[in-house]
Amino acid sequence: GQDAVPGAVGEGAACIGGLSVRNQGAYKDSRHTKKKSHPGVRWPSGTVTLRAMIRVLLIDDHAIVREGFKRLIESSPGFLVVAEARNADEALSALERVSADIAVVDISLGDGASSGLDLIALLRDLMHGLRCVVLSMHDDSGLVLRALEQGARGYFTKAVAADELLDGLRRIAAGEVVLSSDLAPPVSNPAPLL
């Protein structure tokens, strides 16, 4: 869970995946970060380093939804939310500053200029190695199929259980394609109605 760390520097310090971390922003690329002093991070021996964390970018146009999913994701060991964005422009800007392993994208971004599906296709072309996951209220099999065709590695409805979402994110980070259990499998060529 996410508990206050006794003796951690300043307010807002928390234990996330065994690290004492303050909310002071994300790191450019933790794969190249060595165990040395960073503001807000202490490296106790035998704990998980940022390199072993699954770095997540949350993209949803509703701040309260992003905050809820951020708390859920970071309450589970092994995850770190490195940035949040409310639209495609903010997501692209965030990815210029931080590295992420997974982008959790809502289909309906509400900015009118670009949908989550368009953003997934753009991220697929620009950010090799970034795995996009849809987290949406929409459970239409046609949307699921379109998201997968655009390059999404997973699709979860916002009605899915927390444990299933977290397990799915781990599996996607490991290279699998995962759909939430409440979705009907997408059909690429549906049979004609008789």
Side-chain angles (χ1 to χ4, degrees):
Q2 188 172 18
D3 303 311
V5 177
V9 183
E11 247 183 310
C15 182
I16 303 170
L19 289 175
S20 299
V21 179
R22 275 186 39 189
N23 187 9
Q24 290 187 324
Y27 297 96
K28 178 73 177 157
D29 189 346
S30 62
R31 290 173 290 194
H32 304 293
T33 302
K34 295 183 179 176
K35 283 189 172 184
K36 61 182 181 179
S37 288
H38 289 284
V41 177
R42 290 185 289 150
W43 300 99
S45 62
T47 60
V48 178
T49 64
L50 286 178
R51 179 180 12 220
M53 303 288 277
I54 297 170
R55 300 164 298 173
V56 180
L57 167 62
L58 291 176
I59 308 163
D60 193 295
D61 57 327
H62 296 97
I64 196 163
V65 172
R66 288 192 312 271
E67 181 63 27
F69 283 115
K70 178 180 179 178
R71 288 180 186 203
L72 170 68
I73 290 168
E74 287 189 339
S75 72
S76 184
F79 289 101
L80 179 66
V81 175
V82 294
E84 299 176 39
R86 64 180 169 182
N87 57 39
D89 290 338
E90 286 184 10
L92 294 172
S93 177
L95 287 169
E96 290 176 1
R97 297 184 315 274
V98 300
S99 293
D101 302 305
I102 292 178
V104 178
V105 183
D106 186 14
I107 283 188
S108 304
L109 292 178
D111 62 0
S114 173
S115 75
L117 291 175
D118 295 333
L119 178 58
I120 290 167
L122 182 62
L123 292 174
R124 177 199 63 215
D125 293 341
L126 294 177
M127 309 298 296
H128 299 288
L130 177 67
R131 293 175 171 96
C132 292
V133 179
V134 173
L135 184 59
S136 178
M137 66 179 194
H138 303 289
D139 63 359
D140 177 78
S141 62
L143 279 175
V144 174
L145 180 61
R146 285 181 47 210
L148 295 173
E149 289 171 346
Q150 296 291 68
R153 305 296 294 166
Y155 194 113
F156 295 87
T157 68
K158 290 181 178 176
V160 73
D163 289 341
E164 183 179 347
L165 174 64
L166 295 169
D167 179 61
L169 292 177
R170 284 186 192 93
R171 291 171 53 199
I172 290 164
E176 293 182 46
V177 175
V178 183
L179 303 178
S180 63
S181 63
D182 59 343
L183 291 171
V187 178
S188 57
N189 294 315
L193 297 175
L194 300 176

